[in-house]
């Protein structure tokens, strides 16, 4: 961490960053579950609840939390790649469901 932070302020800073990382880790966990299968009702409800606001910790990240933040960043990158693949697979699947360019066919059921 750049500079020195007095003891109580350091404890507050660490708590602030821990809270921020926990919130981001929760979001990544939900996204990871979305990529591996259907979500349970509670997770599905919280997955898109409200507008996302970035956490706003008070100051630079403490050295003790840097490794945790880097791991979170790695997990976010994996999720981003997985979501990109899932979106492309959805596009392909939707394209296959669209009717072919041909004249409509009707069946006469009155005969």
């Amino acid at each position: 961490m750049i500079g020195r932070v007095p003891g109580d302020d350091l404890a507050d800073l660490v708590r602030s960053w821990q809270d921020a990382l926990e919130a981001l880790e929760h979001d990544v966990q939900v996204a990871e579950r979305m990529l591996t299968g259907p979500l349970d009702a509670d997770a599905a409800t919280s997955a898109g609840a409200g507008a996302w606001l970035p956490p706003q910790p008070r100051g630079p990240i403490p050295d003790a939390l840097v490794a945790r933040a880097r791991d979170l960043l790695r997990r976010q990158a994996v999720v981003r790649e997985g979501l990109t693949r899932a979106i492309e697979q959805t596009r392909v699947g939707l394209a296959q469901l669209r009717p072919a360019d041909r004249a409509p066919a009707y069946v006469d059921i009155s005969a």
Side-chain angles (χ1 to χ4, degrees):
M1 179 170 45
I2 299 172
R4 293 187 169 258
V5 179
D8 288 343
D9 289 342
L10 179 58
D12 288 343
L13 181 63
V14 168
R15 270 193 299 281
S16 174
W17 271 98
Q18 286 173 330
D19 292 346
L21 291 173
E22 285 173 13
L24 292 169
E25 287 165 342
H26 174 267
D27 292 343
V28 168
Q29 287 171 346
V30 170
E32 288 168 339
R33 287 194 308 242
M34 288 171 60
L35 288 171
T36 59
L39 294 177
D40 58 66
D42 291 335
T45 301
S46 70
W52 184 80
L53 297 171
Q56 305 214 350
R58 304 175 316 114
I61 188 166
D63 292 337
L65 297 175
V66 169
R68 181 176 171 188
R70 285 188 177 139
D71 183 58
L72 176 60
L73 182 61
R74 180 196 56 76
R75 288 174 58 204
Q76 288 174 327
V78 170
V79 166
R80 183 178 57 247
E81 291 170 9
L83 290 173
T84 300
R85 282 192 304 276
I87 290 168
E88 184 56 32
Q89 290 170 351
T90 300
R91 283 187 187 138
V92 169
L94 287 173
Q96 293 172 350
L97 293 175
R98 292 194 179 110
D101 293 330
R102 55 187 151 134
Y106 298 94
V107 177
D108 183 2
I109 60 170
S110 65

